[in-house]
Amino acid sequence: LPLVTINSNNMLHFEIRRNKHSQNDTNSDILNHDERNEENQELEGMDDEDDTHLEEGDRHGGKEIVGYWEDGLAIYADGTREQPKEESERHISSNDSQETITTEQQRILTEQQQSHTMDTEGMWEESFGSHKDSKPHGPMSVGADIYFPSSKHLFGLPEHASSTQLKSTIGSNAHYQDPYRLYNLDVFEYELDETMALYGEVPFIVSQSAIGGTVGVFWFNPTETFVDVRDDDTTDMNDSKGTQTHWMSESGVIDLFLLPGPNPSTLYEQYAHLTGRMPLPPIFSLGYHQCRWNYRDENDVYNVHDKFEELDYPYDVLWLDIEHTDGKRYFTWDDALFPHPEAMQEKLHSQGRRMVTIVDPHIKRDTQYYIHKEATNLGLYVKDASGRKDFDGWCWPGSSSYLDFTNSKVRSWWAEQFQYNRYRKSTPSLYTWNDMNEPSVFNGPEVSMQKDLLNLDGVEHREWHNLYGLLFHAA
């Protein structure tokens, strides 16, 4: 038996990148016909649509919004906060219901194929709450099925609050109702034993079996990706009992790496050759780290540090969150609360400890803030969907611009900000906490960036979303 096969179920597909306003598309006649129908329907239902917009616009009850919290909900001027809506989720309670839905989907697909029409709903624009994705190039998904003929034990696809061994998402023995989702998000509160997306993602699966040993697959695509797992007997091929996976990404190309193993140590050696090895961490980083939100001032830091000394309790690193800065401006210090940061760092270092301060990729939009002023003048920020203006999103400092870390010039500039002559009152015993790089946008869809924002090369955010945090760290 092969260790892994591709396209055994003939599910490999890709969709051609198109332009919304192009007349050269193969399906332009169908699309234009459908678009004309939609325009007529929009004109006929204008009053209803206006009512919908009024209802959405009035969801804050006329209250003045002064900010957003990390859960994406508004903060009002009267001190109250927007309450989350109760989302009604449809739970399928029986396998018969799943089969009924599958049959209905197949019937609709067959009817469309027979009538030579296509379902264009959501093709050129989609909504997520009050946010709209303009989708200027239409649907661009790619996907393939990857089968592990002799294995019932698959691992990987971090980061999810689920079991280490991957469980089925489809089929008669499905443990989950939704596929594993790979899309970096700053999740304020997440559910346990679910396939929902979290802070990071690695599109890597490792298969372990007594017959075939260890084998891995790496799906190199940084766009939003879903992976279904099916481990029941219906995936049986050549009288084997294996596990089927189906990968589908929103855009990009199929760039697949197969790692033959055949044992764990060899497989991870192959994986390291592919992705690069992790830098050897400093020894102190392996010790205990003390961190909370937030230390109020230098005296608070000294009190915590001295208590550890008094109790002879080992710790190696003390972390400072965003409140140590001057008004949430990174690479600065609050001179009133932390007037002597160099002496503070030196005291900890003299007793074998290090200090860590936080930096985030969002920059406070303040023309007097030297980081923002320089980044604006050099043109280093992610652009809005038009490509003409710097994107303005909300995060801890309030109104913020976001550096485009997909650009090597931006990464080099950011690295320079850590030099001692740039990062005022920093010392060699000060280290860095890279945070909020999913990227997190409090007033964005799913507390992240809109997918149709553009980087400095004019490429949409959807194409590089899952790379942003990696490139932020690389800088």
Side-chain angles (χ1 to χ4, degrees):
L1 285 175
L3 298 177
V4 59
T5 65
I6 312 298
N7 203 36
S8 300
N9 284 349
N10 298 314
M11 299 176 74
L12 187 147
H13 84 277
F14 64 92
E15 298 187 71
I16 300 172
R17 180 185 180 94
R18 290 161 288 184
N19 190 306
K20 182 182 295 188
H21 304 293
S22 172
Q23 298 301 312
N24 298 323
D25 193 285
T26 305
N27 299 305
S28 60
D29 291 338
I30 297 173
L31 295 177
N32 289 337
H33 176 267
D34 289 339
E35 287 170 354
R36 284 194 295 273
N37 287 341
E38 289 175 5
E39 289 174 0
N40 291 335
Q41 292 171 3
E42 287 173 1
L43 288 172
E44 294 171 359
M46 188 66 74
D47 291 339
D48 293 337
E49 183 176 340
D50 287 346
D51 290 341
T52 300
H53 284 303
L54 284 172
E55 181 181 348
E56 176 61 34
D58 195 44
R59 68 189 179 96
H60 301 291
K63 292 185 176 182
E64 179 186 355
I65 300 173
V66 295
Y68 292 87
W69 189 245
E70 194 172 5
D71 54 9
L73 299 176
I75 303 171
Y76 301 123
D78 62 5
T80 62
R81 290 182 54 193
E82 179 183 2
Q83 296 302 307
K85 292 182 178 179
E86 290 293 333
E87 297 183 2
S88 56
E89 297 182 358
R90 181 170 56 121
H91 294 284
I92 302 172
S93 58
S94 68
N95 296 327
D96 291 340
S97 298
Q98 290 182 333
E99 292 300 326
T100 300
I101 290 175
T102 303
T103 303
E104 178 65 13
Q105 291 172 340
Q106 184 61 45
R107 182 189 65 77
I108 294 173
L109 180 60
T110 302
E111 289 179 356
Q112 291 174 353
Q113 291 172 340
Q114 290 174 348
S115 62
H116 302 287
T117 63
M118 57 194 307
D119 180 10
T120 60
E121 183 179 355
M123 179 177 287
W124 298 110
E125 185 177 277
E126 287 186 287
S127 296
F128 185 88
S130 60
H131 304 280
K132 287 190 180 295
D133 178 6
S134 62
K135 297 181 69 172
H137 304 291
M140 301 179 291
S141 70
V142 299
D145 57 286
I146 303 175
Y147 181 55
F148 302 87
S150 62
S151 177
K152 304 294 285 186
H153 300 88
L154 302 186
F155 306 88
L157 299 183
E159 178 179 37
H160 296 95
S162 57
S163 68
T164 303
Q165 181 175 340
L166 300 180
K167 296 181 180 180
S168 58
T169 61
I170 54 175
S172 58
N173 297 324
H175 180 81
Y176 298 119
Q177 294 181 348
D178 298 303
Y180 289 90
R181 186 187 184 198
L182 306 180
Y183 194 68
N184 297 349
L185 292 172
D186 181 12
V187 184
F188 181 68
E189 294 175 337
Y190 58 84
E191 301 172 13
L192 297 178
D193 197 28
E194 286 292 344
T195 56
M196 64 184 290
L198 290 178
Y199 307 99
E201 63 86 26
V202 182
F204 182 48
I205 282 182
V206 175
S207 164
Q208 184 70 40
S209 71
I211 298 174
T214 308
V215 62
V217 296
F218 182 69
W219 178 271
F220 187 34
N221 187 310
T223 71
E224 181 178 13
T225 298
F226 293 90
V227 183
D228 267 318
V229 177
R230 185 178 183 124
D231 64 359
D232 60 16
D233 292 337
T234 60
T235 63
D236 221 322
M237 297 182 182
N238 300 322
D239 296 325
S240 66
K241 293 184 177 180
T243 304
Q244 181 78 41
T245 64
H246 179 211
W247 302 64
M248 187 164 66
S249 296
E250 181 179 10
S251 186
V253 299
I254 296 176
D255 194 2
L256 180 65
F257 296 85
L258 305 180
L259 309 179
N263 55 59
S265 60
T266 304
L267 175 113
Y268 285 107
E269 181 78 20
Q270 295 159 354
Y271 185 63
H273 280 298
L274 176 63
T275 63
R277 294 183 179 275
M278 173 183 170
L280 189 66
I283 292 178
F284 76 81
S285 70
L286 305 179
Y288 176 77
H289 294 240
Q290 175 66 23
C291 178
R292 77 161 186 254
W293 184 37
N294 196 84
Y295 296 105
R296 295 183 297 275
D297 50 30
E298 285 182 6
N299 286 335
D300 196 11
V301 169
Y302 289 140
N303 288 336
V304 170
H305 172 78
D306 292 342
K307 198 66 176 179
F308 273 93
E309 287 290 300
E310 176 188 335
L311 299 175
D312 196 23
Y313 196 98
Y315 90 101
D316 288 80
V317 191
L318 191 143
W319 294 42
L320 294 182
D321 209 321
I322 193 170
E323 306 302 338
H324 80 277
T325 64
D326 175 16
K328 299 180 175 61
R329 299 170 179 87
Y330 303 109
F331 302 104
T332 68
W333 300 86
D334 186 320
D335 290 334
L337 301 178
F338 293 87
H340 309 293
E342 292 167 297
M344 178 176 60
Q345 296 165 54
E346 179 54 35
K347 177 177 180 179
L348 266 64
H349 187 236
S350 68
Q351 295 178 282
R353 279 61 183 251
R354 309 297 196 280
M355 178 163 278
V356 165
T357 53
I358 194 170
V359 294
D360 295 345
H362 54 260
I363 305 300
K364 185 170 185 173
R365 293 171 71 98
D366 173 6
T367 56
Q368 301 304 311
Y369 176 26
Y370 77 99
I371 291 285
H372 175 65
K373 185 177 181 179
E374 189 171 324
T376 301
N377 291 338
L378 293 174
L380 305 182
Y381 287 133
V382 172
K383 302 298 181 182
D384 64 10
S386 72
R388 294 187 292 269
K389 297 180 180 179
D390 292 342
F391 167 64
D392 184 355
W394 195 278
C395 210
W396 295 122
S399 179
S400 304
S401 295
Y402 287 72
L403 292 161
D404 177 14
F405 286 101
T406 68
N407 188 284
S408 60
K409 180 179 71 173
V410 177
R411 295 197 297 272
S412 295
W413 177 84
W414 185 251
E416 292 173 357
Q417 308 314 308
F418 294 89
Q419 297 175 2
Y420 299 129
N421 63 338
R422 296 283 291 171
Y423 188 176
R424 187 175 62 94
K425 300 181 181 180
S426 64
T427 72
S429 65
L430 184 68
Y431 291 78
T432 299
W433 171 7
N434 295 299
D435 196 22
M436 310 297 287
N437 48 67
E438 293 78 15
S440 180
V441 183
F442 289 174
N443 61 337
E446 298 189 276
V447 196
S448 195
M449 283 186 181
Q450 292 95 319
K451 290 184 175 181
D452 54 3
L453 300 183
L454 301 176
N455 69 4
L456 295 177
D457 293 322
V459 180
E460 286 188 292
H461 176 73
R462 77 181 79 248
E463 305 286 351
W464 40 268
H465 175 88
N466 286 337
L467 280 177
Y468 190 83
L470 172 67
L471 296 174
F472 177 59
H473 280 77

